[in-house]
Amino acid sequence: MKGLMMNYQLTLPTIMRRAEMLHSKKEVITRLPDKSLHRYTYGECITRTKKLSVALQQLGVKAGDRVATFCWNHYQHLEIYFGVPAFGAVLHTLNLRLSAEDLEYIVNHAADKVIIVDQVLLPLFDKFKDKIKVKHVIVIPNAGQPVPEGMLNYEELLAAGDEKKYVPFEGDENTAAAMCYTSGTTGKPKGVLYSHRSIVLHSMVSAYAEGLSLLESDVVLPVVPMFHVNAWGLPFTSTMLGCTIIFPGPYLDPPSLLELFENEKVTVTAGVPTIWLGILNVLDAAPGKYNLSALRCMVVGGSAAPAAVIKSFQERHGLSILHAWGMTETSPIGSLGILTGEIQKEDKEVQYAYRAKQGRPASFVEIRARSESGLIPWDGKTMGELEVRGPWIASAYYNSEEEADKFTADGWFRTGDIVTIDSRAYIEIKDRSKDVIKSGGEWISSVALESALIGHPAVAEAAVFAIPHEKWVERPMACVVLKEGKTTTQDELNSFLAPHFAKFSLPDAYAFVKEIPKTSVGKFKKSVLREQYGGSA
Ligand code: AMP
């Protein structure tokens, strides 16, 4: 028997309608390139979104066409987030930290028809603009500055769009709405295509209490760039709920962020560990300088959040970190480090250890992990490659046959992350499969060593990777950045690690360096380190 519920399509225009009807007076705030703050309402945002939608169609953009953005986090980017899918076209966010070569490849592979660029980013755009085949370049202008010849002015384009002519996309919810290429360090970037349905469902689950627990009353500041997996969905989720949203523009340095947290009474923020390490240093150097009493949750993902960092924020500054795991291919939320009622009754140190794990799968995300001997038991010890499935997990890459083996015959996505899963369903990431250190047949977790090293008072950052060894095949080595004015030695660091690790896991060698090379989204570039210290990338 068929159910008798409405066949209501989960599309992005439904979120726009809700924003218009329920919270048109709530604010969207942006730090502009001149550092001043731009403020307007969701009502004004949605009107401009409709104008953009109409104007793009007048330019010849059709449903299914890709419209790329090369932008920081700001209000116009939010308009594009909705204005492009609003008529069935596909928003394609470009990572502005990638090389010109990668950007050229990505734009041409996606066959973007239009690219929208921040005027402040034109010097970066110039490096690949002659190699891409887009029909129109639209520039988001700096106040008062003329747009280069041959390019369109975003504000003039919007002014010419009549919002009354806007017709919302009302097609199949499985239609593509957005796309993002992986920022992988090996192979060519691969395109992930999100659908209207996957974005709406991801927004619902990230908002709910077992997700980020967001409410209309929240003030959300995504530090994570809008080109990194849709800023983890926060622009969509915040617009759905009517949270005040704050965009930091190009200013991601700790003092600029802390000032916004304090002045705008930010309640929820999100970013990669590097950002929070910078913030922690500033807070430690000037305790009490900033009033962050409104800040109830700092979401950390993209790389592991070490227990020592979670504990330092909590105990020294009363700030709560929520650890989450995800990937471009998982929209991105896959798991969240929320404590179960049972763990909440346990000792504080046990709770910190759980909060440093990558957490339990979000609703509708199913997990399993596989080693060479088959699916692993959920014993918290056996390691295997994590596989996931769910309504916002990629089922294939865009126009790519190469990576077909990432998708299993029975419909799961192979993440490439090596994990343990414990009896309470908490995932712990031990490594990327290519970064795991195989010493004498045993696997050593570089992530566990890095998280422990960061707990040493002299260590600001640590990356652990494999170096070749005649007898053991591979051995761990650590590159360490010291905190200003601090010193330590290899022996001292290994004695610090010794109580928590088997002896064979301790690094054989240390290099004390000024900086660790990082990828476009702030992860350690271990391939570069391996090569530098005698191994293969
Ligand atoms: P990306 O697609 O750029 O977001 O990268 C996804 C990868 O980042 C994952 O496969 C993990 O290897 C890593 N990652 C994401 N979140 C975490 C986390 N909380 N802890 C450790 N690694 C993470």
Side-chain angles (χ1 to χ4, degrees):
M1 186 191 282
K2 209 171 167 205
L4 289 174
M5 289 294 115
M6 288 182 188
N7 185 13
Y8 181 92
Q9 298 295 296
L10 302 175
T11 60
L12 292 180
T14 65
I15 294 186
M16 287 168 64
R17 275 202 292 281
R18 184 176 164 84
E20 231 175 354
M21 287 189 293
L22 272 74
H23 37 262
S24 67
K25 294 203 166 60
K26 292 291 300 280
E27 266 190 318
V28 176
I29 303 166
T30 300
R31 199 194 279 279
L32 298 175
D34 68 3
K35 283 215 132 185
S36 65
L37 292 183
H38 172 277
R39 292 170 186 271
Y40 75 168
T41 61
Y42 276 108
E44 288 165 279
C45 171
I46 299 295
T47 304
R48 283 170 51 95
T49 295
K50 291 179 182 173
K51 283 173 173 286
L52 174 65
S53 209
V54 172
L56 285 173
Q57 289 175 84
Q58 281 166 357
L59 271 186
V61 183
K62 299 203 166 45
D65 285 344
R66 270 77 67 207
V67 175
T69 59
F70 196 62
C71 300
W72 289 108
N73 290 11
H74 49 55
Y75 68 99
Q76 291 105 331
H77 210 168
L78 182 66
E79 292 159 10
I80 306 165
Y81 256 51
F82 283 95
V84 172
F87 67 98
V90 182
L91 163 79
H92 177 195
T93 52
L94 294 169
N95 180 341
L96 50 95
R97 300 207 182 101
L98 290 179
S99 67
E101 206 176 293
D102 275 345
L103 286 161
E104 171 197 336
Y105 170 82
I106 290 171
V107 172
N108 289 335
H109 187 267
D112 294 326
K113 195 162 190 178
V114 174
I115 180 164
I116 305 179
V117 186
D118 283 352
Q119 188 144 24
V120 286
L121 293 172
L122 284 177
L124 281 183
F125 178 58
D126 280 346
K127 295 191 179 153
F128 64 98
K129 77 165 193 285
D130 295 333
K131 302 207 171 115
I132 57 172
K133 302 177 204 104
V134 292
K135 279 237 161 73
H136 302 284
V137 178
I138 301 172
V139 176
I140 299 183
N142 280 349
Q145 276 183 29
V147 158
E149 236 182 45
M151 300 184 185
L152 300 165
N153 181 318
Y154 181 85
E155 291 301 333
E156 287 170 11
L157 192 77
L158 243 67
D162 178 359
E163 72 270 22
K164 290 186 207 77
K165 291 197 179 134
Y166 165 70
V167 182
F169 166 73
E170 278 184 346
D172 178 358
E173 62 183 12
N174 291 301
T175 304
M179 101 193 291
C180 185
Y181 276 67
T182 58
S183 52
T185 44
T186 52
K188 287 279 180 213
K190 295 170 290 288
V192 176
L193 261 181
Y194 310 105
S195 64
H196 285 256
R197 172 186 153 87
S198 73
I199 294 174
V200 171
L201 289 175
H202 181 267
S203 303
M204 281 166 61
V205 169
S206 34
Y208 88 156
E210 286 266 303
L212 307 182
S213 194
L214 288 174
L215 293 169
E216 179 271 347
S217 51
D218 274 310
V219 180
V220 177
L221 188 153
V223 182
V224 51
M226 289 168 89
F227 57 73
H228 187 198
V229 213
N230 302 328
W232 302 349
L234 286 169
F236 294 121
T237 313
S238 303
T239 307
M240 178 181 85
L241 296 174
C243 309
T244 302
I245 190 158
I246 322 260
F247 293 116
Y251 299 103
L252 303 182
D253 58 288
S256 300
L257 291 172
L258 284 161
E259 194 187 291
L260 278 180
F261 292 163
E262 176 173 11
N263 293 348
E264 302 303 328
K265 300 191 174 46
V266 170
T267 61
V268 175
T269 178
V272 294
T274 324
I275 295 281
W276 306 123
L277 284 173
I279 297 250
L280 184 60
N281 285 340
V282 173
L283 292 180
D284 281 346
K289 180 171 174 197
Y290 298 93
N291 176 356
L292 303 181
S293 51
L295 193 54
R296 66 168 179 81
C297 178
M298 301 158 81
V299 186
V300 182
S303 299
V309 172
I310 298 176
K311 194 169 167 181
S312 301
F313 268 113
Q314 194 74 59
E315 297 192 348
R316 295 210 286 272
H317 306 288
L319 294 172
S320 186
I321 281 186
L322 171 61
H323 196 186
W325 167 86
M327 307 179 72
T328 307
E329 291 88 335
T330 66
S331 293
I333 293 180
S335 68
L336 294 137
I338 294 169
L339 300 184
T340 60
E342 194 181 37
I343 300 168
Q344 284 175 28
K345 291 191 202 115
E346 295 203 30
D347 183 75
K348 252 195 187 168
E349 291 305 317
V350 175
Q351 293 189 18
Y352 282 126
Y354 268 97
R355 286 172 61 189
K357 292 190 180 207
Q358 280 69 18
R360 303 194 335 145
S363 294
F364 306 117
V365 174
E366 292 185 47
I367 57 167
R368 68 186 188 188
R370 188 186 296 281
S371 71
E372 275 153 16
S373 23
L375 290 181
I376 62 162
W378 290 18
D379 59 6
K381 285 194 212 107
T382 316
M383 292 195 217
E385 183 185 2
L386 180 65
E387 297 179 358
V388 292
R389 67 174 179 184
W392 51 86
I393 314 284
S395 62
Y397 289 115
Y398 174 67
N399 266 356
S400 162
E401 297 304 314
E402 274 166 51
E403 300 278 338
D405 66 336
K406 296 282 281 179
F407 304 92
T408 69
D410 61 344
W412 294 66
F413 169 67
R414 296 177 51 209
T415 64
D417 282 332
I418 304 297
V419 302
T420 58
I421 306 174
D422 68 19
S423 56
R424 289 159 156 167
Y426 280 79
I427 301 168
E428 185 167 351
I429 304 241
K430 297 292 187 179
D431 255 310
R432 286 295 293 164
S433 53
K434 60 183 188 307
D435 291 338
V436 78
I437 303 159
K438 293 180 198 102
S439 176
E442 296 286 343
W443 282 7
I444 297 174
S445 162
S446 64
V447 175
L449 288 166
E450 287 160 2
S451 298
L453 281 170
I454 207 104
H456 187 279
V459 175
E461 264 188 325
V464 177
F465 52 96
I467 47 169
H469 190 278
E470 244 175 54
K471 180 167 175 200
W472 304 113
V473 187
E474 287 181 353
R475 291 293 302 146
M477 169 166 182
C479 269
V480 171
V481 179
L482 292 175
K483 285 189 182 154
E484 235 179 79
K486 303 271 179 171
T487 52
T488 184
T489 60
Q490 162 158 348
D491 288 347
E492 191 183 305
L493 289 176
N494 270 352
S495 316
F496 175 76
L497 294 175
H500 313 288
F501 291 89
K503 198 157 177 265
F504 80 90
S505 302
L506 301 182
D508 274 7
Y510 281 83
F512 295 96
V513 296
K514 282 220 169 70
E515 209 181 350
I516 295 172
K518 301 213 176 68
T519 69
S520 60
V521 288
K523 298 172 207 243
F524 295 142
K525 255 192 193 162
K526 295 202 183 170
S527 52
V528 173
L529 292 173
R530 282 192 289 266
E531 237 172 349
Q532 197 175 336
Y533 292 97
S536 57

